[in-house]
Amino acid sequence: MSLPFLKQLGIGELSLPICTGARHSGDDSDGVQESFSPADGKLIGKIGKAKQSDYEHVVATAEKAFLHWRSVPAPKRGELVRQIGVKLREIKDPLGRLVSYEMGKSLQEGLGEVQEMIDVCDFAVGLSRQLYGLTMHSERPDHRMYEQWHPMGIVGIISAFNFPVAVWAWNAMLAAVCGDVSVWKPSKKAPLTAIAIFNAIGEVFKDNDVPEGVMSYIVGPGAVVGESMINDTRIPLISATGSTRVGIRVAEACARRLGKSILELGGNNAIIITPSADLKLTIPAVVFGCVGTAGQRCTSTRRLIIHESMYDQVKAALIKAYTTVRIGDPLDTTNHMGPLVDTGAVKDMQDALESARQEGASIIYGGEVLSGAGFESGCYVKPCIVEAKNEMEIVQQETFAPILYLCKYSGDVELAIAQQNGVPQGLSSAIFSTNVLEVEEFLSTRGSDCGLANVNIGTSGAEIGGAFGGEKETGWGRESGSDSWRYYMRRQTNTINYGKELPLAQGIEFDV
Ligand code: NAD
């Protein structure tokens, strides 16, 4: 495969399974992992499979690197991240193309994802001078108390296929300025994007004399590499992005060794449309939320909870808008929607639609698998609109595909909020309303129970400046902006006695 962007990114026919910064190693003696494009079904490249000895090498190298990296001043660590950001700017176009080609999102979204990496680098550079702790007044005379934040060690990053590069950057850049080192296991559905990044940033490590091991990747199956990581006591923090099923496995393994975890798992995101909603804003937000990334964003809109007075109007407007969605090659910028990631995802979508039918839901638009010229990979589907009820079993689940369930409510917004919250997941939510009372109710303590709650914008996507994450089955912890950095550091409370007495706390007298 000799696509120009692969050449620009240094991706040949066979890539090595591990890299500890600038040095790639490992081999293909244990077989290879192949990466196919869902856009045209073609083989993009092969990667040797990592062995247990490769895993040991990566973690031992990271452990050694941490002993050095933790003592580098944080702003100097930020300088490395700044230079990585510069490198990412240089490869934004080819990397965005590879993201699009390897996992199927539209080129615009592929480029947007790389932009997100660049933005998080900039954010982390600023953060490297702002890792603040608090001081507090001691109850004892001549004592000073404060807290400081120290680097934690190795951060294990496990990423999902749908944001194959941005999730790594959210974690690795914050970890790096916090003085941690990171080991990344990319998704086996999009491993070449990881290799492309390290091909580019290797120079930055070399130019700055950064020891091997500050940032690494290892390509291998979740059940081998992933399992080794989550059970490894040398890795104090695992940040895992993926399905709730895998997240529960990660949580169990980490909890058994009292390791920490950040879990960014499945969502089942709803938009509430109230009688006062401005449909000029609502309809495009819904269509992008459901069809963007072919419904394969954790924040994709999966449910609409529509007031009965608006229902027919919204339904008609959506069907009309869906007929204009152009589906096809994700690298062709005239298309809105590319393929699903693989034929397994297509089958999951078809199975979900069958379950919906059996539960009495009606498919009112789309859902078919597309065939014919341009659709040979078998991964293209028509986005689908289904009339359903929130309590149906299939509506309670996250199906990672462009299926939108329309549900109705009557009465006050409280009833819509109850439906919105009435699923096991808690990632993203939105309300379209111009009524301040409804909006405030939605944002109140009785309102949305999700990690993200938006007003007059959709559920899909988030800015890197905010803390990103969810509640309930979506997991725990936050990534990216705000004070998410605290998850990557250990907090230490310090008490200093600068007096000549030794007063005990709580007034305790202890004469010896
Ligand atoms: P997945 O759960 O199949 O895989 C996620 C990652 O976990 C992969 O790298 C996989 O190899 C690894 N893995 C599998 N078994 C493992 C094990 N036993 N131990 C350790 N790691 C293991 O998910 P996917 O299909 O790649 O991604 C889609 C899912 O990710 C959806 O549910 C989506 O909602 C979720 N997601 C969530 C967020 C978020 O921020 N909340 C973001 C992106 C994706």
Side-chain angles (χ1 to χ4, degrees), residues 351-404:
D351 290 350
L353 293 179
E354 184 48 36
S355 303
R357 272 187 213 101
Q358 281 176 14
E359 284 193 77
S362 339
I363 295 171
I364 57 169
Y365 183 86
E368 305 91 337
V369 183
L370 299 174
S371 57
F375 302 129
E376 290 86 350
S377 69
C379 297
Y380 291 88
V381 293
K382 247 193 186 179
C384 187
I385 305 175
V386 181
E387 287 188 298
K389 291 202 165 41
N390 196 58
E391 59 274 18
M392 287 178 176
E393 220 174 284
I394 193 66
V395 180
Q396 295 281 311
Q397 296 166 23
E398 179 200 52
T399 303
F400 220 48
I403 302 175
L404 178 64

Side-chain angles (χ1 to χ4, degrees), residues 242-245 247-248 263-267 396-398 423-427 470-476:
S243 57
T244 296
R245 181 186 61 79
I248 289 171
L263 299 175
E264 302 287 358
L265 313 175
Q396 295 281 311
Q397 296 166 23
E398 179 200 52
V423 290
Q425 308 81 359
L427 181 53
E471 306 292 335
K472 305 194 297 188
E473 277 192 6
T474 299
W476 53 63

Side-chain angles (χ1 to χ4, degrees), residues 134-139 143-147 491 493-494:
L134 298 170
T135 61
M136 50 291 281
H137 289 267
S138 169
E139 66 186 45
H143 279 57
R144 185 164 75 81
M145 280 176 79
Y146 74 110
E147 66 182 23
R491 184 197 299 243
T493 302
N494 306 111

Side-chain angles (χ1 to χ4, degrees), residues 292-308:
T293 323
Q296 298 170 114
R297 286 183 178 215
C298 50
T299 52
S300 288
T301 307
R302 310 214 175 276
R303 298 176 293 140
L304 289 189
I305 300 161
I306 312 166
H307 193 265
E308 58 182 355

Side-chain angles (χ1 to χ4, degrees), residues 287 317-327 334-336 365:
V287 178
L318 280 177
I319 292 175
K320 189 165 168 228
Y322 266 52
T323 57
T324 65
V325 172
R326 281 188 301 276
I327 305 159
T334 62
N335 289 327
H336 298 113
Y365 183 86

